[in-house]
Amino acid sequence: MTATYWQNRRALLAGWRRALLMRRWRLLAVLLPAVMLLTSCGIFQQSGTTASTDFLMQTLPDDWTPMTEPANVNGFQEISIDGDEADEYLLFFYYDSQDGATNGPIGGIIYDGQDDTAIYDPDTVIPMPMQPLAFFVPYRLLPDWTTGKGQGYLGDKSVNWEVTPEDQITGFEAELVVQGIGTNGATTRLSLFRWLGPKNGYGVTYFQGSYSITMPDWTAGQDQRINTVVTLEAFNDRSKLCNQTYWTRQGTSAQFFASPSNITFCLDAIPAQPTYPEAVVLAWLKDQNPEFALTPDAQAELLLVVPNPPEQIVSLDYPGTATVTGTGNTTKSTMTVESTIVQGGVQRVVKWQLREVMAAEGGGTTRWRIELAE
């Protein structure tokens, strides 16, 4: 290649760079007055005006249906959990619905106002001027599939939300608390969001309980931190049993430690007269009530096998139907329930033999009582 060739090539590349730079400056010259006009009209202002939220609403996908009730989720809501002075805009919406319906799961998104609009041209090494406005960056809450997310969605029927403020003394960061209401009217999903920075957006700690979720040490509206979460996952069973898990926050972090799951009644109360045999066994394991033993002698024998309520009830297995023997007045109905329990740190399998007692003994209907454990 000749020197003239390389000179021409360098000149051509330099011309391309100048042309590209001029196009960028022309575009800026066209857009800047328009952007400044929008700013003066309130479109990009961080004040929660109707104009600004109307503008954001126009950017939503067609298949998102914004929530309209209750009032605290109607349209864009102003929040602030990213540590700067400007508010963010929070929106809840239904998605995966048909034709604008509101029967899909509930998602959420936050539009965060940011002001770092410096443009840098690496070809010319010329910094572009700062812009006199803020711009909005959308950050998905859920659904999302980035690192640390992908767990699910915010709610089925509705949502409630509030912000727990930052506490510089204890080191707690501000969190957005979103309770998802299920079709049963109870909280069945809980999402705790924290600001991770402009690159990663909002991280989440997510809980799901198909029957319910409770926060025993937390009261809504009191600026309290959620430190304990209890989830109840319902079984597809006849005695309305749930798997219960306690989650405990680790220090000031967003991490929660899960206790071993434990079988319990979904209503978290022992029935006065459990109907099915496995429910009778569970009721006895929880408080060792002699009423659920067939006789006082049977109660004494049961206490020899299981002297104290177990630390954990891992499983309850049972047949669907009872075993019936005899006829007439000699008819006997029995069932065997097998339990796996943890007692004294040791996992054990205990088999329970139950017998159905007549209505006269059971108080108007037949009842199941435990006659043997081994």
Side-chain angles (χ1 to χ4, degrees):
M1 298 291 181
T2 64
T4 302
Y5 170 82
W6 289 112
Q7 291 174 352
N8 292 337
R9 182 177 177 84
R10 284 194 292 270
L12 180 61
L13 290 175
W16 285 346
R17 291 193 183 98
R18 286 194 297 272
L20 178 60
L21 181 59
M22 289 301 297
R23 283 197 298 271
R24 290 180 178 177
W25 276 101
R26 291 192 190 101
L27 179 61
L28 181 62
V30 171
L31 291 180
L32 186 55
V35 168
M36 293 178 67
L37 176 61
L38 291 175
T39 303
S40 66
C41 294
I43 297 296
F44 286 97
Q45 290 176 354
Q46 304 295 300
S47 61
T49 62
T50 301
S52 62
T53 55
D54 285 349
F55 171 79
L56 291 176
M57 196 69 74
Q58 294 172 9
T59 68
L60 300 179
D62 293 338
D63 56 332
W64 290 5
T65 304
M67 295 186 68
T68 58
E69 56 182 20
N72 68 338
V73 298
N74 182 5
F76 284 97
Q77 305 293 318
E78 290 186 17
I79 68 168
S80 182
I81 63 171
D82 63 357
D84 61 22
E85 295 183 358
D87 286 336
E88 299 92 66
Y89 286 126
L90 166 65
L91 179 74
F92 296 103
F93 56 88
Y94 297 95
Y95 67 99
D96 285 355
S97 300
Q98 293 293 326
D99 300 325
T102 58
N103 55 1
I106 298 172
I109 191 169
I110 288 179
Y111 284 82
D112 182 50
Q114 299 178 13
D115 57 11
D116 183 10
T117 58
I119 303 174
Y120 187 81
D121 188 333
D123 292 330
T124 60
V125 199
I126 298 176
M128 304 297 280
M130 293 291 290
Q131 306 302 315
L133 62 114
F135 65 100
F136 288 105
V137 177
Y139 292 102
R140 292 178 183 267
L141 297 179
L142 287 176
D144 198 1
W145 35 87
T146 54
T147 302
K149 289 188 176 180
Q151 298 90 339
Y153 51 92
L154 298 180
D156 291 280
K157 188 72 173 178
S158 184
V159 294
N160 295 318
W161 69 275
E162 67 177 80
V163 173
T164 56
E166 176 186 13
D167 189 331
Q168 295 182 351
I169 297 177
T170 61
F172 275 111
E173 297 180 21
E175 288 182 339
L176 169 63
V177 177
V178 180
Q179 296 183 70
I181 310 303
T183 55
N184 60 355
T187 297
T188 55
R189 297 174 188 272
L190 176 67
S191 305
L192 308 179
F193 293 97
R194 283 188 175 190
W195 176 245
L196 302 180
K199 179 180 179 180
N200 297 316
Y202 296 88
V204 65
T205 302
Y206 181 81
F207 304 91
Q208 179 180 346
S210 59
Y211 186 80
S212 70
I213 295 177
T214 56
M215 295 76 77
D217 62 349
W218 181 80
T219 302
Q222 300 298 312
D223 290 341
Q224 295 175 320
R225 195 70 48 179
I226 294 177
N227 292 315
T228 305
V229 176
V230 182
T231 59
L232 285 172
E233 289 285 350
F235 297 137
N236 182 21
D237 76 305
R238 62 191 184 181
S239 290
K240 202 169 186 179
L241 305 182
C242 279
N243 219 352
Q244 183 182 61
T245 305
Y246 278 80
W247 303 80
T248 306
R249 189 190 290 269
Q250 303 302 290
T252 60
S253 73
Q255 302 297 316
F256 283 71
F257 175 79
S259 69
S261 296
N262 191 42
I263 295 178
T264 189
F265 294 102
C266 291
L267 294 176
D268 204 25
I270 300 174
Q273 290 293 342
T275 297
Y276 283 109
E278 67 277 4
V280 174
V281 171
L282 179 59
W284 190 90
L285 283 170
K286 280 186 163 294
D287 71 354
Q288 299 181 322
N289 188 339
E291 184 178 359
F292 303 130
L294 185 63
T295 65
D297 289 342
Q299 172 73 358
E301 293 294 326
L302 298 180
L303 290 172
L304 291 177
V305 179
V306 184
N308 300 294
E311 298 103 62
Q312 182 186 3
I313 303 170
V314 180
S315 66
L316 290 172
D317 298 308
Y318 50 88
T321 57
T323 299
V324 180
T325 58
T327 59
N329 291 334
T330 64
T331 299
K332 183 179 180 181
S333 182
T334 61
M335 184 175 290
T336 299
V337 175
E338 183 176 295
S339 67
T340 302
I341 64 174
V342 175
Q343 194 162 48
V346 178
Q347 184 166 296
R348 306 168 52 204
V349 175
V350 180
K351 292 185 178 180
W352 310 79
Q353 184 69 36
L354 295 95
R355 180 161 67 85
E356 188 177 15
V357 300
M358 295 299 101
E361 304 173 66
T365 185
T366 59
R367 303 287 185 187
W368 286 92
R369 295 293 181 255
I370 306 170
E371 60 180 353
L372 178 66
E374 59 185 3

